[in-house]
Amino acid sequence: MKLQRKNRLRALSLGAVALTGVLTLTACGSDDTSEGASGTGDSSAPAGNIDCGDAKGQLLADGSSAQKNAIDAWVKQYQSTCKDVVINYKGSGSGAGITAFTQGQVAFAGSDSALKPEEVTASKEICSGGQGIDLPMVGGPIAVGYNVPGVENLVLDAKTLALIFDSKITNWNDEAIAALNPDATLPDLKIQAFHRSDESGTTDNFTKYLIAAAPDNWKYEGGKAWEAKGGQSAQGSSGVAQGVKETKGAISYMELSYAKDGISTVDVKTGAAEPVKATVENATKAISEAEIVGTGKDLALKLNYKPTAEGAYPITLVTYEIVCDKGNKADTLPATKSFLTYVASEDGQALLSEAGYAPMPEEIITKVRTTISELS
């Protein structure tokens, strides 16, 4: 069914999501082989109702490191039931994933940004009689993690974040930061701003927020590649998280599931009365204002980076699984459909909250399930 008009998403109801077991995840990424192996979820968690069908063989996938923790948990559960399938998701970043997909190297890709027109065109070369489509599967906040000794509660706004990541504010006791944190004792410490070295949908969404919320202070065009000068770079979400953890004075943007083990997160000042914490629930309030802008079977979303509702966290992303609507390879199609069917199922979506992600709204995930069933 073609979506010719923009549809308002209704608010996610995370309270109604029943977790099927305890999920323990480690921060992992494409460049972290010691912690990032597929299957980091708790093996005691039930797999739920998984239909393996004719799925067998090896399923290669690549892309968003933002969803790597979720993918690992899903793979753990799926492979415990479908023992004839081996899933290898590299998590090299959204840009690398889309490139691998359009070159026919993977069965599906993960991306934190929807396909661009030129990428859709390229996908037609490997999707025989079809094209690549965006299936929103994972939501959540992009946390701004920091490591500033003695500062437990830090408030920043879009303007200050833009100036920090553009190397215009370089010390933690800068008057602009002090004005937002009158009760904090800010140290005379150099700011070490980390950004992604790889092409990343997380970068794309973070800079879209800066463009939308601080247009006078962030003059870059945005996109998956980092454009501002200065700062330090690291590969993948795990890389920037590790940089923040190990570096006093560091700050970076990362998915909430990576902001742990000594990494504090910024409360973001918006148009609401109170600064907003980076939580799944608060991201949900902002994602609920997204609009479907894809057509046909494509379910690309437009996010609202300037919410004014109380508690709506403004820096959010949605990760898409990218797959051919038609023309998928015959040897990988059964496993692709089987795995994505599980991921989009109630059981699959239920694993997300514990890992710091937000399940998709029922209105959207229902359309995703229908589309997956029609893949050919």
Side-chain angles (χ1 to χ4, degrees), residues 327-367:
N328 290 279
K329 294 179 181 179
D331 58 339
T332 59
L333 178 59
T336 299
K337 291 184 69 171
S338 174
F339 178 64
L340 292 183
T341 295
Y342 163 63
V343 167
S345 72
E346 182 177 347
D347 290 322
Q349 291 286 297
L351 291 180
L352 293 174
S353 297
E354 192 77 4
Y357 298 100
M360 286 295 97
E362 189 64 26
E363 177 183 341
I364 293 302
I365 205 64
T366 298
K367 292 181 173 66

Side-chain angles (χ1 to χ4, degrees), residues 79-139:
Q79 290 185 164
S80 70
T81 298
C82 302
K83 301 184 183 299
D84 292 332
V85 181
V86 176
I87 300 174
N88 182 0
Y89 182 84
K90 292 177 64 178
S92 301
S94 298
I98 291 176
T99 297
F101 177 74
T102 56
Q103 292 179 351
Q105 298 172 359
V106 294
F108 70 91
S111 177
D112 308 321
S113 298
L115 289 167
K116 296 179 180 178
E118 60 269 25
E119 293 167 341
V120 173
T121 299
S123 73
K124 294 179 180 179
E125 297 295 321
I126 57 99
C127 299
S128 180
Q131 67 178 51
I133 56 173
D134 301 288
L135 301 178
M137 204 74 78
V138 181

Side-chain angles (χ1 to χ4, degrees), residues 239-313:
V240 294
Q242 192 69 17
V244 172
K245 182 179 178 181
E246 296 178 348
T247 308
K248 289 184 179 180
I251 186 171
S252 189
Y253 54 93
M254 65 198 73
E255 295 69 42
L256 183 61
S257 63
Y258 291 90
K260 57 179 68 174
D261 300 330
I263 300 177
S264 301
T265 59
V266 169
D267 295 350
V268 179
K269 183 173 177 56
T270 67
E274 298 294 330
V276 185
K277 294 185 178 299
T279 68
V280 169
E281 293 80 6
N282 289 345
T284 290
K285 294 176 183 178
I287 293 174
S288 68
E289 298 181 12
E291 298 174 334
I292 299 172
V293 293
T295 58
K297 293 182 179 180
D298 187 89
L299 297 175
L301 305 176
K302 181 179 180 181
L303 299 175
N304 177 14
Y305 296 102
K306 295 195 296 181
T308 57
E310 293 296 327
Y313 185 76

Side-chain angles (χ1 to χ4, degrees), residues 2-196:
K2 291 188 175 182
L3 301 174
Q4 298 296 343
R5 61 184 179 84
K6 295 181 179 178
N7 300 298
R8 258 345 218 188
L9 305 186
R10 61 174 176 264
L12 302 179
S13 180
L14 294 180
V17 176
L19 292 177
T20 57
V22 178
L23 179 63
T24 303
L25 293 172
T26 59
C28 51
S30 61
D31 54 344
D32 188 349
T33 55
S34 64
E35 294 182 299
S38 293
T40 56
D42 186 346
S43 60
S44 66
N49 185 21
I50 298 176
D51 183 4
C52 302
D54 298 326
K56 61 182 179 180
Q58 187 175 33
L59 194 63
L60 299 179
D62 196 2
S64 166
S65 64
Q67 67 168 357
K68 184 66 163 59
N69 289 337
I71 289 284
D72 285 346
W74 283 328
V75 168
K76 175 75 172 183
Q77 299 302 326
Y78 179 81
Q79 290 185 164
S80 70
T81 298
C82 302
K83 301 184 183 299
D84 292 332
V85 181
V86 176
I87 300 174
N88 182 0
Y89 182 84
K90 292 177 64 178
S92 301
S94 298
I98 291 176
T99 297
F101 177 74
T102 56
Q103 292 179 351
Q105 298 172 359
V106 294
F108 70 91
S111 177
D112 308 321
S113 298
L115 289 167
K116 296 179 180 178
E118 60 269 25
E119 293 167 341
V120 173
T121 299
S123 73
K124 294 179 180 179
E125 297 295 321
I126 57 99
C127 299
S128 180
Q131 67 178 51
I133 56 173
D134 301 288
L135 301 178
M137 204 74 78
V138 181
I142 300 175
V144 179
Y146 69 95
N147 179 356
V148 182
V151 180
E152 296 182 358
N153 298 297
L154 182 68
V155 176
L156 296 175
D157 57 13
K159 176 182 178 180
T160 308
L161 283 168
L163 294 174
I164 287 173
F165 281 93
D166 198 21
S167 301
K168 301 293 178 57
I169 292 178
T170 59
N171 200 289
W172 280 109
N173 64 1
D174 187 275
E175 61 182 14
I177 300 176
L180 292 166
N181 299 272
D183 298 327
T185 301
L186 298 170
D188 182 6
L189 179 65
K190 182 180 178 181
I191 294 175
Q192 306 280 356
F194 281 80
H195 58 266
R196 291 281 290 272

